[in-house]
């Protein structure tokens, strides 16, 4: 895919495109976007930190930056993964089948704003 350490380092230097979650100075997760493409490229949390809110915060930070530049953002994931269920829970949808394994999910800016409002109430 052409993803090397130098490519990732260059992306991070050029744009706000990566976030990390930390617990007691240990990195427990990260998210990363492809800003020009409007893509949530990655979001991962160490298994022992799942279901504690770090993943949601990482995705929301990525979404916030993406929605500064795009009305609709997207990601790709395994259609049968826990990640797909997680993203749908966060308001991602409009599933499009890529192949036998992967799907593309989208989220609109309006859905993001509505999720922020629900969280604040």
């Amino acid at each position: 895919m052409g993803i090397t350490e130098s490519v990732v380092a260059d992306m991070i230097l050029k744009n706000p495109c990566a976030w990390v979650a930390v617990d007691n100075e240990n990195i427990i997760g990260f998210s990363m976007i492809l800003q020009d493409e409007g893509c949530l490229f990655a979001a991962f949390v160490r298994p022992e930190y799942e279901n504690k809110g770090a993943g949601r915060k990482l995705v929301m930070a990525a979404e916030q930056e993406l929605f500064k530049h795009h009305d609709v953002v997207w990601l790709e994931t395994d259609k049968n993964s826990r990640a797909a269920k997680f993203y749908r829970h966060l308001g991602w949808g409009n599933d499009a089948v890529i192949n036998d394994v992967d799907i593309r999910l989208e989220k609109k800016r309006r859905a993001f704003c509505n999720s922020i409002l629900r969280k604040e109430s």
Side-chain angles (χ1 to χ4, degrees):
M1 294 179 66
I3 302 167
T4 64
E5 286 182 28
S6 62
V7 168
V8 172
D10 190 50
M11 288 170 57
I12 292 169
L13 289 172
K14 288 183 179 176
N15 297 304
C17 68
W19 297 263
V20 295
V22 179
D23 181 41
N24 292 323
E25 299 183 21
N26 295 311
I27 295 175
I28 62 167
F30 75 98
S31 63
M32 189 169 190
I33 63 172
L34 302 176
Q35 182 175 299
D36 292 343
E37 296 181 31
C39 173
L40 175 58
F41 178 71
F44 294 96
V45 174
R46 294 178 58 96
E48 62 269 28
Y49 287 92
E50 290 178 359
N51 298 312
K52 296 182 180 180
R56 174 187 296 270
K57 289 177 183 176
L58 287 166
V59 170
M60 289 183 74
E63 290 173 346
Q64 186 172 3
E65 185 60 31
L66 285 169
F67 285 124
K68 289 179 182 177
H69 310 279
H70 303 277
D71 291 326
V72 179
V73 297
W74 61 278
L75 63 84
E76 294 178 359
T77 192
D78 181 317
K79 66 183 175 187
N80 296 315
S81 66
R82 290 181 306 135
K85 184 178 177 182
F86 170 71
Y87 292 125
R88 286 185 185 108
H89 179 74
L90 296 180
W92 292 76
N94 197 26
D95 300 30
V97 175
I98 297 171
N99 55 41
D100 291 340
V101 178
D102 297 317
I103 56 171
R104 175 183 167 126
L105 299 175
E106 294 181 342
K107 190 169 188 178
K108 296 180 180 175
R109 180 182 289 140
R110 189 178 75 201
F112 173 74
C113 293
N114 289 342
S115 68
I116 297 292
L117 291 174
R118 280 193 303 272
K119 186 178 179 200
E120 291 176 353
S121 4

